[in-house]
Amino acid sequence: MHSLQNILRLGMKELYSLRRDAVLLILIGWSFSVGIYAAGTGFSTDLHNAAIAIVDEDRSQLSTRISQAFLKPEFRRPELISFDEIDPGLDTRRYSFILVIPPDFEKDVVRGNRPAIQVNIDATATMQAGIGANHIASILAQEIERYGKEQGQDASLPLSLVTRFAFNPNLSSPWFSSVMEIINNVTMLTVVLTGAAFIREREHGTLEHLMVMPLAPFEIMLAKVWANGLVIILAVSFALWVIVESVLSVPIAGSIPLFLAGVALYLFFASALGILLGTVTHSMPQFGLMFILLILPMMLLSGGETPLESQPVVLQNVMRLVPSTQFVSFAQAILYRGAGIDIVWPHFLMVTVVGLALFALAGLRFRKSIAAIR
């Protein structure tokens, strides 16, 4: 009971110290509010309001239908231009896509020939060019197939291929980017908060004051874990319920309380990692360099930014032992696919076991740093 009281009081001290640190408060507030909103809306892989023009040299019913098939929000209303306007339109970036429909296009389609439509693309916008080319190809194929069926041409296949996009049927990038921003911020800010708290105490001389008190090292560490973990959990709850669900209108498929329970388990690993980095570095610049060398690669290789399956097999096996990979896996399973505890419990167990082991290692390192101070 005496240890619990010490942990509670030390944690309150951490919260009071954080309250006076304006930079960290701004960082936390920005990361779980404006940062989430910016990630969901500022960078999009969707095609939106693309400028398109059509050179219609056929002037047929089919070419007219193709012109009318490009609709908002992916494309602006197509403009009909002459062949001589192609180069000036692309050079001045007035159009991103220009289609050239050749003469007798409709007749060739009716006869069963394979006429070609030229698609000119401004590829300086690389991502939009690639996505737009796929959209245009799909629209052309659909309109030509529909027109052929209306003309009595049997273009049916022995089987019907139906594509269904699970968990994100509209392929909307905010559904992915906003949630992944929260997942990444949990790791980043937990490590930064605990590591910065330890370095701040050493720089201000308060760590020496704690050494002369009847306190055990694990009490100091647990106080930092629960205090900074409480801040992270409250920030994550605000980001999910307010920013993601209310502001961005992104539906959460699974249980947010279950996800928060997983976050609480993961905080032992992330906090221990922050404390460990705080004991091996002596200033915030050194801590920042270690963060870049260790934490950023860990986040990039955890399966959030790139699929784990695309990495070399040896690296996959190593990363599956890292709790950050397990965290990304169960976070996506819960928030995207609505997974329950019966599915994610192995991830919870792995995160807990490795987190406690790293917490013990950080405790040993913390004891050595205390002995050096004494």
Side-chain angles (χ1 to χ4, degrees):
M1 183 62 67
H2 183 68
S3 294
L4 292 177
Q5 291 178 351
N6 289 339
I7 294 171
L8 176 62
R9 290 166 182 166
L10 288 172
M12 295 301 297
K13 179 191 72 68
E14 291 291 330
L15 294 176
Y16 284 131
S17 299
L18 180 61
R19 186 183 65 178
R20 293 192 297 269
D21 196 326
V23 174
L24 285 180
L25 288 177
I26 293 173
L27 178 62
I28 295 170
W30 174 276
S31 299
F32 288 100
S33 58
V34 181
I36 303 298
Y37 181 81
T41 59
F43 178 77
S44 176
T45 58
D46 301 333
L47 188 67
H48 182 73
N49 208 29
I52 185 171
I54 297 178
V55 179
D56 188 356
E57 297 184 330
D58 189 33
R59 302 287 177 174
S60 63
Q61 179 183 357
L62 178 56
S63 64
T64 302
R65 289 180 54 165
I66 290 175
S67 301
Q68 295 173 349
F70 295 94
L71 304 174
K72 293 183 177 181
E74 287 84 7
F75 296 94
R76 299 179 189 174
R77 185 174 181 177
E79 297 184 22
L80 294 177
I81 63 175
S82 65
F83 196 88
D84 295 335
E85 297 178 83
I86 294 179
D87 287 341
L90 291 174
D91 292 341
T92 59
R93 302 194 67 179
R94 182 178 179 183
Y95 308 112
S96 298
F97 306 94
I98 298 179
L99 276 67
V100 180
I101 302 177
D104 299 326
F105 177 74
E106 182 183 73
K107 293 180 181 179
D108 287 336
V109 171
V110 173
R111 292 170 183 167
N113 298 329
R114 299 178 65 88
I117 292 181
Q118 184 184 77
V119 181
N120 301 277
I121 302 175
D122 176 12
T124 56
T126 308
M127 183 174 294
Q128 178 176 261
I131 297 173
N134 293 330
H135 273 269
I136 292 172
S138 177
I139 290 172
L140 291 176
Q142 290 177 5
E143 291 302 319
I144 293 173
E145 182 181 358
R146 289 174 184 171
Y147 182 78
K149 289 181 179 179
E150 292 176 2
Q151 299 300 316
Q153 297 178 351
D154 186 11
S156 61
L157 297 174
L159 55 86
S160 178
L161 180 63
V162 178
T163 302
R164 182 177 69 90
F165 295 100
F167 320 126
N168 189 358
N170 296 325
L171 298 181
S172 177
S173 58
W175 286 33
F176 176 79
S177 55
S178 59
V179 174
M180 280 309 306
E181 187 73 8
I182 294 177
I183 295 173
N184 290 334
N185 286 346
V186 168
T187 299
M188 180 183 70
L189 287 178
T190 303
V191 174
V192 170
L193 285 179
T194 51
F198 185 85
I199 294 175
R200 181 176 57 240
E201 285 189 344
R202 187 162 52 195
E203 290 178 343
H204 294 173
T206 54
L207 188 60
E208 287 81 354
H209 295 167
L210 295 176
M211 296 302 97
V212 299
M213 297 181 180
L215 298 173
F218 85 94
E219 294 177 349
I220 300 175
M221 293 176 59
L222 285 178
K224 296 184 183 299
V225 170
W226 85 256
N228 294 293
L230 177 63
V231 173
I232 296 297
I233 289 178
L234 291 177
V236 170
S237 302
F238 172 82
L240 285 174
W241 273 308
V242 178
I243 304 300
V244 174
E245 284 195 324
S246 299
V247 178
L248 295 176
S249 300
V250 176
I252 300 298
S255 170
I256 293 181
L258 178 61
F259 170 67
L260 294 178
V263 171
L265 295 176
Y266 177 70
L267 288 177
F268 274 95
F269 166 78
S271 300
L273 190 55
I275 294 173
L276 186 62
L277 292 181
T279 57
V280 299
T281 57
H282 299 87
S283 64
M284 283 304 297
Q286 291 182 357
F287 181 83
L289 290 175
M290 290 296 295
F291 185 92
I292 294 174
L293 292 174
L294 181 62
I295 307 302
L296 291 184
M298 183 186 73
M299 293 169 59
L300 291 173
L301 297 174
S302 296
E305 302 298 331
T306 57
L308 194 64
E309 292 76 13
S310 65
Q311 301 172 16
V313 177
V314 176
L315 186 59
Q316 290 183 39
N317 295 331
V318 172
M319 290 307 300
R320 285 193 175 96
L321 300 176
V322 180
S324 60
T325 304
Q326 302 294 328
F327 174 54
V328 170
S329 181
F330 77 68
Q332 292 180 340
I334 295 172
L335 299 178
Y336 292 156
R337 300 185 285 274
I341 186 63
D342 57 320
I343 295 177
V344 300
W345 73 264
H347 302 292
F348 281 19
L349 180 61
M350 175 68 76
V351 167
T352 303
V353 171
V354 179
L356 291 176
L358 186 64
F359 190 81
L361 178 62
L364 294 176
R365 177 64 192 179
F366 188 36
R367 288 176 181 272
K368 291 182 179 180
S369 65
I370 290 175
I373 293 175
R374 288 175 175 172

